[in-house]
Amino acid sequence: MTYLRLAGLSVGALCAASAAFAQGYPERQITMVVPFAAGGPTDTVARLVAEKMGTDLGTQIIIENLGGAGGTLGASQVAEAEADGYTVLLHHIGMATSETLYRNLAYDTLNAFEYVGLVTEVPMTVLARNDFEPADMAAFIEYVKANGDSLTLANAGIGAASHLCGMLLMQALEVPLVTVPYKGTGPAMTDLLGGQVDIMCDQTTNTTKQIQGATVKAYAVTTPERLELFPDLPTVAEAGIPAAEVSIWHGIYTPKGTPAEVNEALSASLQKALADPGIVKAFADLGTTPSPAEDATPAALKEKLETEIARWKPVIEAAGVYAD
Ligand code: ASP
């Protein structure tokens, strides 16, 4: 539709056109951008959800991993994509923290996207390579405090959940660990397993199998309560560092201007996917639960993003860590 034809349409006609567009939607394959490397926790959640949503929508949702710059690279590509419903972004809490962490962000977080809904909230675990000396969380704290400036901390770049968790840990322990950035915590986990880095803080969606297989050393969980999956792991609050408490929520976005009907169609499909027993089980096996239907909505995600930007801004400013 040309600009001239659009300019000639009334608002009512535009709404009708948009509703008609949504009715035929989707007519082709949808791309879901994951702003981190394949094999990591965001990728895992995205692949599970995309497959179910695709089946429901009668199309294929393919995953495109665009890792780099703590998730902001992938987010900026989606911000610039066609607002036609065929490019969506699955991102986590980093969508909110990057707004403060990056003073020269390529997009205006609250004005560059439309909202589909919340997907899940995932606990973080504090880990180290398998031959890391400390036996438990109390010893870990003591050891890291004494040796902090020579220990390495893997993360997925400034803006990633692993970065936020690591930052809270460093602040709480008052140690400057040497950070090693990756395009995602999938590759970071490979290096942790290989002993090339010492410590990592990451979602259970990427750490459960390794903790269960005892191929890494797990020290604590960042949730207010202990996890059913790892009842022996203390919470960070129990360990005396409640300021390191954090849960990683995920949401699905579309570029600004994507018709509301399309976002609603995606949201309805997301709700169905999250209620699917297979997804519930797969999420449970990875230490997480799907967001309830009332949160898998555009309004709930918008509110969450706004609240979380405001929540983390003072924390990041107090830490004084910026990406630029
Ligand atoms: N979610 C991870 C993080 O924020 C990155 C990833 O999914 O690979 O560190």
Side-chain angles (χ1 to χ4, degrees):
M1 189 177 287
T2 64
Y3 171 73
L4 277 177
R5 280 180 62 203
L6 256 181
L9 288 173
S10 66
V11 172
L14 272 176
C15 289
S18 143
F21 171 75
Q23 267 165 29
Y25 172 84
E27 287 173 336
R28 56 187 165 89
Q29 178 179 283
I30 298 170
T31 298
M32 181 178 278
V33 171
V34 170
F36 296 102
T42 315
D43 184 66
T44 298
V45 167
R47 282 175 199 273
L48 285 167
V49 168
E51 199 201 325
K52 283 279 176 256
M53 285 177 70
T55 306
D56 176 58
L57 289 166
T59 192
Q60 218 192 347
I61 302 185
I62 57 152
I63 302 293
E64 191 174 344
N65 297 95
L66 289 174
T72 60
L73 203 78
S76 64
Q77 299 231 7
V78 174
E80 283 166 21
E82 281 288 315
D84 58 5
Y86 292 97
T87 306
V88 305
L89 170 72
L90 191 146
H91 200 350
H92 61 28
I93 192 169
M95 191 75 154
T97 55
S98 294
E99 177 62 17
T100 306
L101 286 164
Y102 288 75
R103 286 177 287 199
N104 300 315
L105 203 55
Y107 52 88
D108 174 359
T109 309
L110 289 172
N111 290 303
F113 302 95
E114 306 288 351
Y115 306 88
V116 172
L118 282 157
V119 178
T120 184
E121 188 138 345
V122 189
M124 297 292 266
T125 42
V126 180
L127 314 164
R129 59 181 154 76
N130 214 15
D131 55 355
F132 204 55
E133 216 168 275
D136 57 23
M137 187 56 177
F140 174 90
I141 290 177
E142 211 174 296
Y143 188 83
V144 171
K145 275 186 165 175
N147 301 285
D149 50 3
S150 65
L151 297 172
T152 51
L153 171 81
N155 69 27
I158 296 184
S162 46
H163 164 262
L164 176 66
C165 184
M167 183 192 89
L168 296 176
L169 208 59
M170 284 193 270
Q171 251 184 324
L173 300 182
E174 297 173 350
V175 285
L177 299 168
V178 181
T179 53
V180 185
Y182 293 80
K183 283 194 173 172
T185 45
M189 177 59 88
T190 305
D191 274 8
L192 191 75
L193 292 171
Q196 281 92 19
V197 281
D198 299 313
I199 299 167
M200 182 162 78
C201 197
D202 200 23
Q203 285 111 299
T204 54
T205 33
N206 195 37
T207 65
T208 297
K209 287 194 184 88
Q210 283 79 7
I211 296 173
Q212 287 170 339
T215 51
V216 292
K217 241 181 207 165
Y219 290 99
V221 293
T222 64
T223 38
E225 307 289 333
R226 289 191 183 209
L227 300 182
E228 240 172 72
L229 216 49
F230 311 119
D232 296 340
L233 290 185
T235 66
V236 282
E238 284 174 57
I241 49 169
E245 239 174 50
V246 62
S247 282
I248 308 306
W249 52 273
H250 295 71
I252 298 180
Y253 306 81
T254 55
K256 188 76 184 173
T258 303
E261 292 79 359
V262 166
N263 296 314
E264 292 293 348
L266 288 166
S267 172
S269 166
L270 172 64
Q271 289 168 23
K272 280 188 217 156
L274 295 179
D276 181 274
I279 290 273
V280 175
K281 163 91 172 70
F283 276 25
D285 288 347
L286 295 169
T288 184
T289 46
S291 295
E294 63 269 25
D295 288 346
T297 60
L301 177 57
K302 182 174 190 289
E303 193 190 330
K304 180 76 169 179
L305 182 65
E306 287 168 355
T307 312
E308 287 278 286
I309 288 176
R311 173 184 171 197
W312 291 106
K313 193 173 195 289
V315 178
I316 292 162
E317 284 174 348
V321 280
Y322 295 103
D324 43 39

